[in-house]
Amino acid sequence: MKIGILTSGGDCPGLNAVIRGAVRKGVRLFGDEFVGIRDGWRGLLEGDLHPLTTHDVRGISGRGGTILGTSRTHPYSGGGPDAMRQVMKDNGIDGVIAIGGEGTLAGAARLADDEGLPVVGVPKTIDNDLGSTDYTFGFDTAAAIATRSIDALRTTAESHHRCMVVEVMGRHVGWIALHAGMAAGAQAILLPEFPVTMERVVEWVESARDRGRAPIVVVAEGFVPVGVDAEEGVAAIAADGRPRFGGIGDYVAAEVERMTGIETRATILGHLQRGGVPTAYDRVLATRLGLAAVDLIHDASWGYMTSLSGTDIIRVPMADAVESLKAVPKERWDELEALLG
């Protein structure tokens, strides 16, 4: 079979490991031929393709980013499904592996289920907000980068007796803030799923200060304090119409300093969390998902994606995975509250 691979949406560590796993298994076990599709859906719409051999994927599992490039091109732009169908026909492509997050997989599900295109998916996002999979690759690396950053900020905070507010990514969910905050021992961890008042945040900060600690506040970019305008944490609207988060950390820091008198600084980690090399966990998970994606192609399981359930790799409908965001559950917040302050 001839298989196309694309990476779409935001980049994250582990994308190259998926590509490597899929190509090596397809070539070695099935004698497949692969083509790389450049810059996500744009490449499939415009026929921007190149051969992808086992030589091309040598040693890439530890590299961050994606060797194929990525974009946020909408699959229904520039000719949409008809253009893709023609490109696939002209190039003899039997199926496409689409690696992406919520938006990519929603588009891939629609292309497969409504348009009849032979597309399967592999879930990725540093936000860990996709349903129907326990974890997405990229998340572990992002949480690890955030944890190391908080550890570094703690030493300077202690030297100056400051409070440090650290804003992390996650969009509408707080998985990165939860894991990085717990790992780094933050005194306040603010999640979009469980908004609190600034008075509550101040209680946690002052409790830490009174014990001689330099308070650390970790805030997810989508968090909005109770009683504050919801747009406070949204910096801008991106070209694709989605909110571009960033800035709630500055608001929280200013309020903490105003309400407590403690010198407070804010650090927005931003795209640092997307960069760098993937952790061992993400390399293994991404590789396994890529291996399983080849089986989806050969089984003609169009509209399905590979998924992690416990320690097993399974297949689930892409439409189910994007039906709703996977938010931090109440029981995780309940166990976290015992650590705050």
Side-chain angles (χ1 to χ4, degrees):
M1 298 184 75
K2 190 171 185 179
I3 301 171
I5 303 182
L6 64 84
T7 54
S8 180
D11 70 299
C12 77
L15 289 167
N16 288 323
V18 177
I19 298 166
R20 174 180 176 272
V23 171
R24 286 179 66 86
K25 179 173 181 174
V27 171
R28 289 186 165 194
L29 268 65
F30 298 106
D32 292 329
E33 181 182 353
F34 285 83
V35 292
I37 301 168
R38 292 188 177 93
D39 300 335
W41 298 118
R42 183 198 66 77
L44 193 56
L45 288 164
E46 300 176 6
D48 191 357
L49 318 171
H50 62 91
L52 200 56
T53 67
T54 54
H55 178 83
D56 296 317
V57 301
R58 289 187 310 172
I60 66 171
S61 61
R63 286 172 55 182
T66 165
I67 63 168
L68 299 178
T70 187
S71 71
R72 297 192 184 276
T73 300
H74 197 283
Y76 279 78
S77 64
D82 289 339
M84 293 181 183
R85 191 175 287 109
Q86 189 62 48
V87 167
M88 294 177 69
K89 180 181 178 180
D90 291 345
N91 292 274
I93 298 174
D94 299 298
V96 171
I97 299 172
I99 312 168
E102 177 195 5
T104 298
L105 295 180
R110 186 178 169 191
L111 291 171
D113 298 341
D114 298 345
E115 309 293 346
L117 287 177
V119 180
V120 302
V122 175
K124 68 86 196 161
T125 169
I126 67 169
D127 304 328
N128 198 40
D129 61 356
L130 278 170
S132 301
T133 185
D134 289 349
Y135 284 97
T136 52
F137 70 87
F139 166 68
D140 186 70
T141 303
I145 291 171
T147 300
R148 291 196 298 270
S149 300
I150 297 165
D151 288 343
L153 289 166
R154 184 182 292 281
T155 61
T156 183
E158 290 173 343
S159 297
H160 290 272
H161 314 292
R162 288 173 175 156
C163 171
M164 283 290 186
V165 176
V166 185
E167 180 184 312
V168 300
M169 283 181 162
R171 297 186 63 79
H172 300 288
V173 301
W175 287 105
I176 296 176
L178 173 69
H179 280 237
M182 287 185 71
Q187 283 77 32
I189 301 173
L190 311 180
L191 312 180
E193 295 91 337
F194 305 99
V196 297
T197 64
M198 282 306 304
E199 286 74 17
R200 185 79 183 280
V201 177
V202 164
E203 288 178 13
W204 290 327
V205 167
E206 290 183 331
S207 173
R209 187 270 314 272
D210 293 345
R211 298 195 314 275
R213 303 298 306 277
I216 300 292
V217 179
V218 177
V219 55
E221 62 184 359
F223 170 79
V224 179
V226 172
V228 174
D229 190 325
E231 293 187 358
E232 196 68 53
V234 178
I237 300 298
D240 60 4
R242 302 198 308 169
R244 180 179 294 158
F245 290 92
I248 191 62
D250 290 327
Y251 175 85
V252 170
E255 286 298 287
V256 167
E257 182 163 321
R258 181 184 68 82
M259 297 170 72
T260 66
I262 302 172
E263 186 180 3
T264 305
R265 296 287 186 271
T267 299
I268 300 175
L269 297 185
H271 286 79
L272 279 173
Q273 297 155 93
R274 288 194 184 278
V277 300
T279 60
Y281 180 88
D282 275 342
R283 297 182 200 193
V284 172
L285 175 58
T287 299
R288 294 181 70 201
L289 292 171
L291 295 171
V294 175
D295 293 327
L296 291 183
I297 292 282
H298 281 270
D299 292 342
S301 295
W302 316 128
Y304 279 74
M305 73 175 199
T306 55
S307 169
L308 180 68
S309 177
T311 58
D312 298 327
I313 302 298
I314 63 172
R315 57 184 66 182
V316 298
M318 286 188 282
D320 291 352
V322 299
E323 199 170 69
S324 61
L325 291 178
K326 183 180 67 184
V328 175
K330 180 65 161 55
E331 57 266 26
R332 294 297 302 271
W333 174 252
D334 290 341
E335 67 183 21
L336 174 64
E337 280 195 292
L339 302 174
L340 303 181

